[in-house]
Amino acid sequence: MELEKIYRGMENGAETIQENFENTVTKTSDQDISGSKNFIQSPLFAGMKLLDEGNFQMSVIDGKEGQLSGTALNGKIVGFGNTVSNLLGTSGQIPVTVNKTTHEAIVNKDGYYAILIQSWCQPSGTVDGYWYYNFAKNGARAGGEDRIAGWGSNAWKNRNDGFGIYCARLKKGDRLGATIETSITGQIISCGLKSAIFIRLQD
């Protein structure tokens, strides 16, 4: 509601002043505010922006182009698919891209990342042993809390799917994938990283 203008000698001036007070936002008292408000800039809470798309970007990667198959896959690196979609925020910066030859995800901007990864392994017949995926950076196991999926049994078969989260500060140019850690030496029909979400949270 617009405030009514006060002028000298106006009739019911005191009442109008009171109504104006009732329709203003107080800085110290509790208050209910109705109606749609269009904030031109992001509101602050304790000095921090409630919303800041400039520090939030996301890349979603899908596809099976980085998958592997065969035998004796321990220590091999699997990569990502070629389908990439992006939520850029106000910065316009794409967080990651995919090298379509190596299928590694390539970091485009320094920052702290939360990475959600779906993986799978399809053995040929029944196998005995364990199968782990460890997050990889620049061709080697990343270290720290890098286990993103794992399963094992003395008799497991059919496709197994895993889901994991890896969080770390990454630098522009870092090459990302996952290393296979397994005791299984038999035939694997297919294995790899099916889908991944790369969320760049801050500088």
Side-chain angles (χ1 to χ4, degrees):
M1 179 178 178
E2 298 255 349
L3 298 181
E4 188 169 344
K5 184 176 181 180
I6 306 298
Y7 56 91
R8 186 185 301 274
M10 72 178 294
E11 187 177 356
N12 299 323
E15 291 82 354
T16 302
I17 292 173
Q18 181 61 36
E19 289 177 2
N20 282 347
F21 275 123
E22 292 175 355
N23 287 298
T24 59
V25 178
T26 175
K27 295 176 64 176
T28 56
S29 302
D30 295 338
Q31 191 174 27
D32 294 326
I33 301 175
S34 62
S36 298
K37 305 296 182 287
N38 180 26
F39 292 95
I40 305 302
Q41 295 179 326
S42 297
L44 299 181
F45 179 78
M48 299 178 63
K49 289 184 178 181
L50 294 179
L51 296 172
D52 189 354
E53 288 188 349
N55 282 338
F56 178 85
Q57 302 92 39
M58 181 170 65
S59 292
V60 179
I61 299 177
D62 197 16
K64 298 181 179 181
E65 290 84 357
Q67 68 182 349
L68 295 177
S69 61
T71 60
L73 296 179
N74 183 56
K76 299 290 186 180
I77 295 181
V78 291
F80 299 92
N82 291 341
T83 303
V84 183
S85 301
N86 298 288
L87 174 66
L88 305 182
T90 57
S91 72
Q93 177 69 51
I94 297 174
V96 300
T97 52
V98 174
N99 183 314
K100 294 185 178 181
T101 300
T102 65
H103 302 291
E104 294 170 303
I106 310 299
V107 176
N108 290 329
K109 186 174 178 60
D110 293 0
Y112 189 84
Y113 285 77
I115 305 170
L116 292 69
I117 303 175
Q118 177 195 2
S119 56
W120 89 95
C121 179
Q122 172 72 65
S124 177
T126 301
V127 295
D128 179 3
Y130 61 85
W131 185 280
Y132 303 140
Y133 284 112
N134 304 308
F135 195 79
K137 182 173 69 172
N138 299 324
R141 184 169 175 173
E145 300 297 325
D146 60 5
R147 177 68 49 78
I148 55 176
W151 49 87
S153 172
N154 58 6
W156 61 275
K157 61 180 180 179
N158 301 322
R159 172 172 167 148
N160 284 262
D161 288 84
F163 179 82
I165 301 174
Y166 179 74
C167 299
R169 184 166 294 281
L170 302 174
K171 295 182 178 180
K172 181 178 179 178
D174 280 345
R175 299 177 287 107
L176 311 175
T179 59
I180 298 170
E181 181 182 349
T182 183
S183 62
I184 297 168
T185 58
Q187 179 70 31
I188 300 298
I189 296 174
S190 65
C191 64
L193 308 177
K194 173 64 177 67
S195 302
I197 301 174
F198 293 77
I199 305 172
R200 181 182 174 276
L201 299 174
Q202 58 179 271
D203 290 328

